[in-house]
Amino acid sequence: MPRLLSGLQPSGQLHLGNYSGAIKQFLTLQDQGYESYVFVASYHALTSVRDPQALRANIRQVVIDYLAFGLDPAKTNIYLQHDVPAVTELAWLLGCVCPKSQMDKAVSYKDKVAKGIPASIGLYTYPVLQAADILAVEPDVVPVGEDQRQNVEIARDLAQRFNHAYGSEDNPVFKVPQVMIQPGTAVLPGLDGQKMSKSYGNTLDPFLPEKKLRKTIMKIVSDSTPVEAAKNPDTDTTFALFSALAGADDPRTLELAEKYRATDIGFGYGHAKQALFELMLEHFGPARARREELMKDPGYVEGVLRDGAEAANQAMTDVTARARAAVGL
Ligand code: AQP
């Protein structure tokens, strides 16, 4: 059975970008029979969250939201990064074969610093920790959004460097996984048209109360093309969000594109935003209801995490022993 590994940071409320870039793929793959490991990247969130209470709340919320979106603990092991100590040990071993120049080239660091996240050593070296997260469970595939492609490439490169330094062709220490990015899923824009990101304050949260959800959608940036003029769907943020959620080839998306281009039906951006609002309510209706139930059942959530940590620690045992032995420890 092929194995997948991925994770999200509890650096804030999950958003439509996380869903369409990452979580949607986890759901498809778990139902295709992948043995799935999906974790909450609590150590990574320390690069941007300095409030312990907020971090604790975010971690819990991410787990609840994974379950609400449809991750099934019978098929997907859900665990917290800080419950699997092997990853921090492997991060050190991998860091010792990682040239500094490789971190200098990582674009995510520059993007995050440009957006005001403190330029800490943790942030600078986070792709090494991410490589350890990945390599520790020996996955076949790592499903992520387009913005994470480079980081998974770094993990692949570090695995190869380590294998070259310490392993042999026949007996590699680390398995080299494949990155998996849903074709046609670009980096989803946020309310302001920049990359939707928890730490940029431009997100669309599928779990917002109905009124707030509508109000937030109405804030999405648009240009000043008047109602009666034709508009270009391909450059509009509302259309990009609609298309990501419904699917680019979905009849509803094609119909919406037609309305953008029409000049005789009085179709404005407000109408497109209303269509997105209705689609969000329809698409996430079951998840919104499940989330309400899960919020009332902390015992269930704790149990899921206990089982997930046990499975993940078990999955990491052999590779950690191999890596230690390989370096001479
Ligand atoms: N805008 C996006 N479009 C498509 N995919 C996205 N992802 C994130 N934003 C978008 C995907 O979500 C997964 C989780 O990412 P993360 O939480 O580890 O960190 P991130 O990519 O840095 O996400 P954020 O929201 O931007 O978090 P902050 O602001 O804390 O850095 C990844 O698979 C990512 O591709």
Side-chain angles (χ1 to χ4, degrees):
M1 200 187 323
R3 187 181 283 187
L4 83 78
L5 175 286
S6 197
L8 282 87
Q9 294 189 63
S11 45
Q13 177 56 48
L14 298 188
H15 53 72
L16 196 57
N18 298 137
Y19 176 78
S20 72
I23 294 167
K24 208 161 75 178
Q25 292 199 79
F26 307 164
L27 298 175
T28 308
L29 296 169
Q30 82 167 3
D31 292 337
Q32 285 173 4
Y34 276 71
E35 182 191 1
S36 302
Y37 290 81
V38 175
F39 71 103
V40 180
S42 43
Y43 284 138
H44 289 286
L46 290 173
T47 58
S48 62
V49 182
R50 290 280 162 84
D51 176 345
Q53 247 177 314
L55 182 63
R56 233 172 262 128
N58 289 349
I59 290 170
R60 195 181 132 69
Q61 198 59 61
V62 171
V63 179
I64 289 176
D65 292 354
Y66 277 164
L67 294 166
F69 280 127
L71 287 189
D72 175 357
K75 299 173 183 166
T76 297
N77 300 299
I78 300 173
Y79 61 97
L80 307 179
Q81 189 181 26
H82 60 275
D83 282 342
V84 287
V87 294
T88 41
E89 179 175 2
L90 290 177
W92 184 259
L93 303 188
L94 291 165
C96 291
V97 299
C98 177
K100 177 177 169 291
S101 57
Q102 195 160 21
M103 293 298 98
D104 292 339
K105 286 185 231 148
V107 292
S108 58
Y109 172 79
K110 290 172 203 149
D111 288 350
K112 287 176 186 235
V113 172
K115 288 283 185 177
I117 296 179
S120 63
I121 293 294
L123 185 66
Y124 185 68
T125 60
Y126 97 86
V128 177
L129 180 57
Q130 188 171 346
D133 296 324
I134 294 169
L135 302 177
V137 300
E138 307 190 78
D140 298 283
V141 294
V142 185
V144 287
E146 181 60 48
D147 61 314
Q148 284 287 332
R149 184 189 291 276
Q150 189 190 35
N151 285 344
V152 182
E153 291 299 339
I154 291 174
R156 286 168 50 82
D157 185 72
L158 292 183
Q160 281 157 347
R161 280 179 194 278
F162 196 97
N163 289 344
H164 184 70
Y166 295 111
S168 67
E169 288 257 314
D170 308 333
N171 199 15
V173 178
F174 291 116
K175 177 168 174 170
V176 183
Q178 300 295 322
V179 63
M180 187 184 257
I181 296 172
Q182 204 60 24
T185 58
V187 174
L188 209 69
L191 305 179
D192 56 359
Q194 306 302 306
K195 180 201 157 193
M196 189 179 291
S197 203
K198 294 183 221 88
S199 44
Y200 303 165
N202 65 353
T203 63
L204 190 52
D205 164 11
F207 296 112
L208 280 178
E210 215 170 301
K211 241 178 156 171
K212 185 99 192 286
L213 180 66
R214 187 168 188 282
K215 214 167 151 193
T216 305
I217 289 174
M218 291 300 157
K219 282 192 215 150
I220 295 171
V221 283
S222 47
D223 61 31
S224 52
T225 313
V227 168
E228 60 281 5
K231 297 162 197 68
N232 183 358
D234 301 330
T235 55
D236 182 52
T237 297
T238 305
F239 185 81
L241 300 181
F242 189 100
S243 168
L245 192 54
D249 299 328
D250 188 274
R252 293 168 296 179
T253 309
L254 303 176
E255 190 191 330
L256 187 65
E258 281 308 304
K259 289 183 176 170
Y260 269 71
R261 295 192 188 100
T263 52
D264 54 355
I265 56 168
F267 183 83
Y269 290 117
H271 298 105
K273 290 175 186 176
Q274 178 64 27
L276 175 61
F277 169 64
E278 287 166 16
L279 179 68
M280 292 271 296
L281 285 185
E282 183 199 313
H283 189 95
F284 292 113
R288 289 163 68 92
R290 257 196 313 268
R291 190 192 204 226
E292 292 298 311
E293 293 307 310
L294 287 159
M295 301 282 266
K296 293 182 216 149
D297 199 350
Y300 173 72
V301 175
E302 289 309 315
V304 166
L305 290 177
R306 240 189 339 266
D307 293 349
E310 198 181 317
N313 277 312
Q314 180 67 34
M316 292 173 189
T317 309
D318 285 354
V319 70
T320 310
R322 275 206 310 276
R324 279 176 144 244
V327 296
L329 299 176

